[in-house]
Amino acid sequence: MPSFASLLIAAALATFTAAAPISLPDSLPASVPSGSEPSVPALPQVNDIPVVGGQLSSLEAKLRTLSIAIKSIESKIDVRTSTPSVAIIFSDLQTQIQSYTEELTFITPSNISASLVENSVSSIKASIATAVSQLQTLTGQNLSVILAPVEDVVDGQLTVSQVASIVSGDINTILGAAGNVLKATNGADIDIDVNVTLSDLGATVADLVETVDTLVDGLAAELVASLKPVLSIIVELKLTVLINLLGLQL
């Protein structure tokens, strides 16, 4: 299928050709007596038409420049389409975990069960693992790809602060749900060690933050303020990797 650039060039050449019609006399005699044929001037040589030739050369040069620019834009769009940015990965993660974090958020001492906690935590961890794998594919990519916004914009990228806001939204959702489970276990009869299950979830979250931090310089420092709602949960679950990564002073 012809590319957008080749179609544009063909259309431009067609327009140029159509804009240079051949002039013909308004009328021609019905017949020309023998021996009285009108004299026909010699046709000019190609080199005698510098203006048209110059116009064509100028048009070709402009079309080449336009073609290169279009191909550059197409390549940027292809990269962004095939490689999701940090913002897109975390936006997708939020969608994937929403129903499971809601289940944990609405757990109470009266309805808590081992299967509910374990199933929800397992699903959240699986989604996080997928996000980590996607983030790893961004290693070595240009910042224009890594920091691209969720919207389909060719130029422009997010700031570190904006990325931190997106990332912290997911972390606060996950660890906030974990904190609710911790509260619900007080006085509840449950046959699993909730602290171990939630600490395992926390370790997976730490892996997620550690991976994205390698892609965005200064992200960890920006996250500290945004994660204030769940700092106590990070400490309670003894998430050492996350504590050290965020530089928390306990």
Side-chain angles (χ1 to χ4, degrees):
M1 182 177 184
S3 69
F4 173 69
S6 63
L7 289 175
L8 183 59
I9 292 171
L13 287 174
T15 302
F16 179 80
T17 303
I22 299 174
S23 298
L24 295 174
D26 294 335
S27 63
L28 293 173
S31 63
V32 179
S34 177
S36 61
E37 294 86 353
S39 60
V40 179
L43 293 175
Q45 299 298 316
V46 174
N47 293 336
D48 295 331
I49 318 176
V51 175
V52 175
Q55 289 177 341
L56 182 58
S57 297
S58 175
L59 178 61
E60 289 176 338
K62 290 178 180 179
L63 289 175
R64 286 194 206 99
T65 302
L66 181 60
S67 175
I68 292 172
I70 292 173
K71 288 179 179 178
S72 176
I73 293 173
E74 287 176 339
S75 66
K76 289 181 180 179
I77 294 174
D78 288 341
V79 171
R80 289 195 176 186
T81 302
S82 60
T83 309
S85 65
V86 169
I88 292 174
I89 292 171
F90 275 85
S91 178
D92 289 345
L93 176 60
Q94 183 70 262
T95 300
Q96 293 167 14
I97 65 174
Q98 182 176 355
S99 61
Y100 305 114
T101 54
E102 286 178 352
E103 287 177 348
L104 297 180
T105 299
F106 291 112
I107 281 179
T108 65
S110 61
N111 67 10
I112 191 171
S113 68
S115 60
L116 177 58
V117 173
E118 290 178 328
N119 291 340
S120 297
V121 167
S122 177
S123 297
I124 294 171
K125 286 171 57 182
S127 295
I128 293 175
T130 298
V132 169
S133 296
Q134 291 178 310
L135 289 170
Q136 290 170 342
T137 66
L138 287 172
T139 302
Q141 292 285 354
N142 292 329
L143 283 179
S144 61
V145 177
I146 296 173
L147 301 180
V150 176
E151 295 81 4
D152 186 14
V153 179
V154 174
D155 294 316
Q157 59 190 41
L158 298 175
T159 64
V160 176
S161 178
Q162 289 172 321
V163 173
S165 177
I166 295 171
V167 172
S168 63
D170 285 23
I171 299 171
N172 282 331
T173 297
I174 296 169
L175 295 184
N180 181 69
V181 175
L182 286 173
K183 292 178 183 178
T185 57
N186 292 330
D189 183 16
I190 185 169
D191 57 358
I192 64 169
D193 190 334
V194 172
N195 279 61
V196 172
T197 301
L198 297 180
S199 293
D200 191 35
L201 173 61
T204 307
V205 171
D207 188 30
L208 176 68
V209 176
E210 193 171 27
T211 303
V212 71
D213 186 59
T214 63
L215 299 170
V216 185
D217 290 338
L219 179 63
E222 289 283 347
L223 281 174
V224 176
S226 301
L227 294 179
K228 282 184 179 180
V230 295
L231 290 181
S232 61
I233 300 170
I234 292 174
V235 173
E236 185 173 353
L237 293 176
K238 298 181 176 60
L239 304 180
T240 307
V241 173
L242 198 52
I243 290 171
N244 292 336
L245 185 63
L246 298 175
L248 299 180
Q249 301 296 324
L250 304 179

